[in-house]
Amino acid sequence: MKLKSFFLWSLMIIGAVSCKYDDGELWNKVNDLDGRLTNIESQLTQMNTDITSMGAIVNVLEGNVYITSVTETENGYTIEFSDGKTATITNGTAGKDAPVIGFDKDTDGKYYWTQTIDGQQNWLTDENGNKIPVTGNDAVTPQLKVSTTGYWMISYDNGLTFAEVLDENGNPVKAVGEDGQDGSDGSAGTNGDSWFDNVTYDPSTGILTLIINGETIELATGEPTGIPSDTQAGTPPTIQKGEETFIMPTSISALSVDPNNSKIGRFNLAGIQTNSGEWIELYGTGEANQNVWVEINGVQKGIKVINGEEVVTRSRSNSPVSKAKADVVFLVDNSGSMWEEANKVADEIIRWSTELSQTMDVMFGCVGIDHRYVNGAINITDAATLSDYLNCYSGVRRTQHYGEGMATPPADLNDLKTKAQNYITAGGECGGIMLHYADENFTFREGANRFYVYFTDEPNQPGGNAPWSVLTVKNDSEHYNWDSSKGVIYTVYSGLDLSGDPHQYQNWLRNEDPTLFSTYTGGQILQTTGDFEISLSDLPVTGAITQSFIIQFNITPDLTVGGVYDVTIIIYSPDGTIKSQYTYTGIRFV
């Protein structure tokens, strides 16, 4: 102890007698370091506030809470949430040496904290290497501080303990600038006060726009949608190859914005029938008997399902409900060989369409063909107008016109008639040329399921023209130009007797099995004799429409109107007896 004191006094004496020593440079460095530490520490409160605010923003993105009000402040906004919490958000940028804290969605659909150092973004992980969730039971809100030696430190336990922030090479990150090559300290980082690059609020639309680390996020104020959030969607059951109890291809509509709430997306799914003939009811996210899961472009969506039975019941009681839309097009072979069936076909179309439209939002169109060319059509319309169209003439003439004989001819009569001149190259009675004429020229409604009912007593005869072949709806064919949202085809094949076999026609592009239109799109086939003693109510298309579903989901930032998506639907009953999975590709968001 005496020796140490003697040594210190010796240093002081030497310093006192060395009149040439100048300690100004040393004190300048000390003061500069202290100043930079003070400057950075003055920003820590705002930085940690920003991190907390980011957690609140993710809660909104996941649908756990919603924004109740936005109040402008001197340099930003104060946001109030439905759970009673508030967040203060300011404009600005963090200092250049600060590890930028942010968040990102992983493949499981959940948000996790990230850090960006020198432009390199990585997940924030705990001591076991696990990503740190922003919300949920395991959520952690990181806190930053600066060590006394000038390095960034981070806490994952509400400030109880801190660890050094490490870059991608495992090195601690300096908070006060790097040393220059000449040995002097570098300049301090740019002053910063926020990681929110820009914040704006439009009271007229109720939209709060945030730019966080270069990413734009739009949040709407107001009541929640009532649709479970994507984080509540959970993990669907796994169906192994060969386990499926039925295959599910059915009519799916394009994705669309719900007409009653712009925050809700929806699509219609036609009724689903198992191999045993059972029509399924579906139950969505959070329901005790949930049996359906929906994935859009790899993201599990929280969903609410409105079953067809509920739609019909509420329609009859005049309760407000968005009906599942369906557009049905009848493709009618009106050649001479159909003379025996023609009147019965038309009368049954009128009866069935009138009955169906009483409880469902269904509209109808019709196309006719004789030999080689489309010779009649009426665009998507209501059941009454379709009836007027079919009652203009008798026999095969009932579908051999464009509405010229109607009391009020269709406004697009001449347009459809002119367009039909491009559909004259079939080899004979051809369902394919009628199908593509309707698909390419009819005015289908947005968000409506599409169904086709094809009446014929002949093979499909494309005349060597691939665009009119059954191969155009076969998804592994080089001629495929269909997709699931374009519709399902049901075939009514009328032979002279029940021994007539449509499957005998196997000559591709010449004489094709007409029922393959149904086989390839998931429709069914109804075979009858020339007497046509059947009811379309017996055709599964009736159940596909009346048992259809409206499936609703929250519109999240990853969904863009005008985009194209793959939609995977998994159906798995609680008792495991019903299992099926199917992916509909190329579905548009209109």
Side-chain angles (χ1 to χ4, degrees):
M1 193 69 178
K2 289 181 180 180
L3 180 62
K4 181 178 179 181
S5 298
F6 175 77
F7 178 70
L8 289 173
W9 277 108
S10 298
L11 286 177
M12 292 175 67
I13 293 170
I14 293 172
V17 299
S18 298
C19 60
K20 293 184 179 181
Y21 177 73
D22 182 3
D23 62 356
E25 183 178 354
L26 173 62
W27 284 111
N28 285 339
K29 286 190 175 184
V30 171
N31 291 332
D32 187 50
L33 174 62
D34 183 64
R36 278 179 286 159
L37 284 175
T38 302
N39 181 54
I40 290 174
E41 287 176 349
S42 69
Q43 308 303 319
L44 283 174
T45 299
Q46 183 59 54
M47 289 180 176
N48 287 321
T49 297
D50 284 348
I51 295 173
T52 301
S53 297
M54 288 182 197
I57 296 304
V58 171
N59 256 321
V60 176
L61 290 175
E62 293 182 337
N64 301 320
V65 298
Y66 62 95
I67 297 173
T68 57
S69 68
V70 178
T71 304
E72 188 170 3
T73 62
E74 183 178 351
N75 59 348
Y77 296 90
T78 296
I79 305 171
E80 295 185 6
F81 301 93
S82 57
D83 60 357
K85 296 180 180 178
T86 62
T88 300
I89 295 178
T90 58
N91 291 307
T93 56
K96 72 173 185 179
D97 298 309
V100 178
I101 303 300
F103 56 84
D104 204 352
K105 183 184 285 188
D106 201 7
T107 54
D108 61 1
K110 297 180 180 179
Y111 287 92
Y112 296 90
W113 292 110
T114 63
Q115 70 175 19
T116 302
I117 300 173
D118 293 331
Q120 182 67 39
Q121 178 178 292
N122 294 291
W123 299 110
L124 275 180
T125 56
D126 60 20
E127 58 184 5
N128 297 317
N130 300 313
K131 295 187 293 293
I132 299 173
V134 180
T135 61
N137 295 331
D138 300 324
V140 172
T141 301
Q143 291 184 24
L144 288 174
K145 78 171 187 178
V146 179
S147 70
T148 55
T149 55
Y151 288 89
W152 287 105
M153 302 193 75
I154 194 165
S155 172
Y156 303 126
D157 56 9
N158 295 317
L160 294 177
T161 60
F162 283 84
E164 288 183 325
V165 174
L166 304 178
D167 63 20
E168 61 179 336
N169 298 316
N171 300 316
V173 179
K174 248 190 164 184
V176 292
E178 298 295 333
D179 284 341
Q181 291 183 351
D182 61 358
S184 63
D185 261 3
S187 60
T190 304
N191 290 344
D193 56 12
S194 175
W195 286 311
F196 292 91
D197 303 329
N198 192 34
V199 186
T200 57
Y201 176 65
D202 184 348
S204 65
T205 62
I207 300 296
L208 178 70
T209 303
L210 311 166
I211 301 179
I212 305 175
N213 305 333
E215 297 293 327
T216 300
I217 296 174
E218 291 187 346
L219 301 174
T221 59
E223 293 292 326
T225 63
I227 310 298
S229 68
D230 294 352
T231 56
Q232 295 173 293
T235 303
T238 301
I239 300 176
Q240 302 295 338
K241 188 174 182 180
E243 280 189 333
E244 293 180 314
T245 56
F246 73 101
I247 305 299
M248 200 196 329
T250 186
S251 177
I252 183 174
S253 72
L255 308 180
S256 63
V257 178
D258 192 280
N260 298 320
N261 191 329
S262 62
K263 301 176 187 177
I264 297 175
R266 59 172 278 175
F267 63 89
N268 299 340
L269 189 67
I272 299 170
Q273 192 174 32
T274 67
N275 296 335
S276 62
E278 174 190 5
W279 291 99
I280 299 174
E281 284 194 74
L282 298 182
Y283 302 93
T285 303
E287 298 195 58
N289 50 349
Q290 180 177 359
N291 61 355
V292 61
W293 289 258
V294 173
E295 179 181 286
I296 301 178
N297 272 16
V299 176
Q300 286 296 325
K301 304 295 292 182
I303 59 170
K304 179 180 179 181
V305 181
I306 302 176
N307 284 274
E309 283 296 323
E310 181 181 356
V311 172
V312 173
T313 301
R314 291 167 68 181
S315 296
R316 286 172 176 163
S317 64
N318 295 318
S319 298
V321 64
S322 295
K323 298 180 182 179
K325 295 181 181 179
D327 290 344
V328 182
V329 176
F330 302 100
L331 310 175
V332 182
D333 171 3
N334 57 32
S335 62
S337 63
M338 285 285 288
W339 68 270
E340 187 176 14
E341 297 99 322
N343 283 323
K344 289 184 178 180
V345 167
D347 290 342
E348 179 58 16
I349 288 174
I350 293 171
R351 183 203 67 79
W352 183 73
S353 60
T354 301
E355 178 184 280
L356 196 61
S357 61
Q358 291 176 356
T359 55
M360 304 300 291
D361 184 1
V362 187
M363 299 192 79
F364 308 90
C366 187
V367 184
I369 189 172
D370 187 354
H371 295 89
R372 296 178 58 82
Y373 61 93
V374 169
N375 65 353
I378 186 169
N379 208 336
I380 302 299
T381 188
D382 56 51
T385 304
L386 177 67
S387 176
D388 291 343
Y389 169 82
L390 292 173
N391 281 327
C392 283
Y393 304 99
S394 64
V396 294
R397 281 277 291 140
R398 297 180 77 160
T399 56
Q400 290 181 353
H401 63 102
Y402 295 87
E404 296 93 336
M406 297 173 64
T408 304
D412 60 352
L413 183 158
N414 291 325
D415 182 52
L416 288 182
K417 194 171 185 177
T418 299
K419 289 177 176 177
Q421 299 307 306
N422 297 318
Y423 301 82
I424 59 174
T425 57
E429 295 88 329
C430 180
I433 200 170
M434 290 191 287
L435 175 70
H436 292 287
Y437 171 81
D439 174 62
E440 294 160 14
N441 297 294
F442 278 10
T443 309
F444 292 97
R445 295 175 298 163
E446 289 187 359
N449 289 105
R450 301 184 193 179
F451 299 92
Y452 293 87
V453 183
Y454 172 32
F455 300 91
T456 189
D457 63 349
E458 295 280 348
N460 186 61
Q461 302 171 68
N465 297 298
W468 319 136
S469 169
V470 298
L471 297 175
T472 59
V473 298
K474 188 174 188 291
N475 63 11
D476 59 354
S477 167
E478 62 178 313
H479 304 300
Y480 182 72
N481 65 356
W482 205 246
D483 68 56
S484 301
S485 65
K486 288 191 172 186
V488 173
I489 306 161
Y490 293 80
T491 305
V492 181
Y493 182 78
S494 175
L496 292 177
D497 55 56
L498 290 176
S499 64
D501 183 9
H503 306 307
Q504 65 183 296
Y505 303 112
Q506 298 293 330
N507 188 354
W508 294 118
L509 303 184
R510 297 293 175 183
N511 291 294
E512 302 173 332
D513 178 354
T515 66
L516 290 177
F517 283 113
S518 299
T519 302
Y520 294 151
T521 62
Q524 275 83 30
I525 303 157
L526 184 61
Q527 190 169 349
T528 180
T529 66
D531 293 334
F532 199 73
E533 295 298 335
I534 66 165
S535 167
L536 286 179
S537 300
D538 297 329
L539 195 63
V541 66
T542 303
I545 295 173
T546 59
Q547 303 292 327
S548 60
F549 315 96
I550 299 171
I551 297 183
Q552 298 175 318
F553 54 89
N554 290 304
I555 297 178
T556 50
D558 55 307
L559 298 174
T560 305
V561 174
V564 177
Y565 297 88
D566 292 345
V567 179
T568 297
I569 297 175
I570 295 174
I571 295 179
Y572 195 112
S573 63
D575 61 5
T577 58
I578 299 176
K579 304 177 185 179
S580 190
Q581 175 174 319
Y582 192 81
T583 297
Y584 300 88
T585 60
I587 304 301
R588 295 169 294 111
F589 199 144
V590 297

